[in-house]
Amino acid sequence: MTDLRQWLPLAVDAVDAWMSQFGPQEEHPSLRVDDERLAQAFHELSDRLQDNYPFGSPRYVGQMLKPPHPAAVLGYVTAMLINPNNHALDGGPATAQMEKEVVADLAAMFGMPTHMGHLTSSGTIANLEALWAARETHPGKSIAYSADAHYTHSRMCEVLGVPGVSVATDSAGRMDLNDLDRVLDAHDIGTVVATLGTTGLGALDPLPEILERTQARGVRVHVDTAYGGFFTLIADDSADGVASAPFAAITRADSIVVDPHKHGLQPYGCGAVLFADPAVGRFYLHDSPYTYFSSDELHLGEISLECSRAGAAAAALWLTTRVLPLTDDGLGQVLRACRRGGLDWARRLDASQEFTLFQEPALDIVTYFPTHQRMSEIDAASRDLFTDAASLPSAERIDLATYLVEESGFRTRGHMVDSDVPRARIMRSTVMKPESADAIKEIETTLESLVSSRAAAPVPDGPH
Ligand SMILES: *Cc1c(COP(=O)(O)O)cnc(C)c1O
C-alpha cells in the first residue's frame, strides 16, 4: 500500500537531483541549526500534536475532518520542497499547469460545457469570489441563500456590501420553494445561492426547481457544493448512490464551489471556484508593475482574488487524481462507501429503541437523538452521549458532534417533542471515511449501550 516511509525519501531525492544541476547549494550559517536542538523541538511538537482528536480513526465520526490521502501528502510535500506560488507563471509554471488541468477535470466532473476557474485556499474564499462576480454581473441587487446555507454567505455579503436575504428551509432542510417564491417577489434578488450538501444536515437544495424560477427572471445561480460536490460522481439514484436530479442540474448554474479539502482527500487549504462564463475574467483586470513577466499566457493571479497561493496544493490534487480519478470507479468508490455507511447507520437508528433518526440522510451526514419527550432531556442526553463516547478507552473511543435544533425543526419532521427549552442539541455524525462504513455496526451498538446505561443510572441526589 501507500507507505509514506517509502515514498517521502523519494520526494527529497527527486528535488535534490533536479536542484543539483544548478550548482552546489550551500546552506547559510545563519540557517544552520543544531540536530540535537531540532530533535528536542520535534519531540515537543509531536507531543503537543497529541492534543488533537483522532481524525483518522474509523470511530471518529464527528466533524468534516480526516487526514489527506498519502498520494496527496506525497504530491504536496514534493512540490513544497520547491515551494512554487501559483499566483503567477513566474512563481510556478509546472504547478500552474497542473492547476489548470485539475480545474478542467473538476469542470468535466460537473459536466460544464465551458468554464473558467481555479483553486483557492478555502471554500469560504471560493464563495466570496463567486458572490463578488455575482455582485458585478447583477449590481445593486440582493443575494438569497437558505437559512441552512453556510454561515459565511451572510458574512461575505456584508464584506461585499450586498444585502443578503435568508430563505426558509423545508422539512428536509432544503431551500423551501414557496418561501423562495415569496423572496423573489418581495426583494430585488440578483443571485440565488443553492447549497448541494448543507454543512449541518447534508441536505440538497432542489436545484432544478430553483433554476426554473431564477432563469425566467434573469437571476443568477451560484451552487455552493463545498461539501457535497464530489458526490456528483455517484449521483445515479442507485442503492448506494445519491439523488441525480440536483447534481445533473449543476451544468445550468453560473458558478460552482467545491472543496477538494473536504471530500477530495486533500490537505487544507484547497477549495475551488468554477464559472460557466469565462467572460467573468474581465472583473479581475488589474495592472501592477511587479507581477507578471514570464509570458503572455494566462497567469492564475489574473483570474483570482487571492495573490500568493500554494502551488503544492495543485500538485497534491493532481497526483491524487492521477491514481484516484474523478470517476465512479475512482474517487466515486470512496464516496459510495461513505454513503453506504450513512444509510446503514440511518437504518439501524430507525430500528433502535434508544434513538430517533432526525431525518433521512441525503449524503453521508447522519442526524439523530436519544429518544425523549422533552427537549431539555434530548439536549442533556445528547451532551452526555457526546462526552461518554469520547471518554471510552482510546481503542474504543467514539468521537461525535452535535447540532442545535429549534422546536420547529423537530415538529416539521414529525417529532412531537415538548419544547420546555427553545433549542436542543442532537447528534450529527459525518461518515466521511470509507473505513467508518465498516465500523457503523460497532459504533451504533456502543452508543446504544452508553445511552441505556445512563438511563439506568440513578438520578443524582438533590432537591426535586
Ligand atoms: C465547508 C463549507 C464551506 C466553507 O468552506 P471552508 O473550506 O471551510 O472555508 C462553505 N459552504 C459549505 C456548504 C461548506 O460545507
Side-chain angles (χ1 to χ4, degrees), residues 200-223:
L201 303 170
L204 303 171
D205 283 349
L207 185 57
E209 291 80 5
I210 292 171
L211 284 161
E212 234 169 68
R213 287 159 168 80
T214 51
Q215 283 182 332
R217 299 172 184 246
V219 168
R220 188 178 174 88
V221 171
H222 169 59
V223 175

Side-chain angles (χ1 to χ4, degrees), residues 8-20 78 81-82:
L8 287 180
L10 300 187
V12 180
D13 290 346
V15 174
D16 273 358
W18 170 65
M19 278 302 286
S20 69
T78 311
L81 293 170
I82 303 164

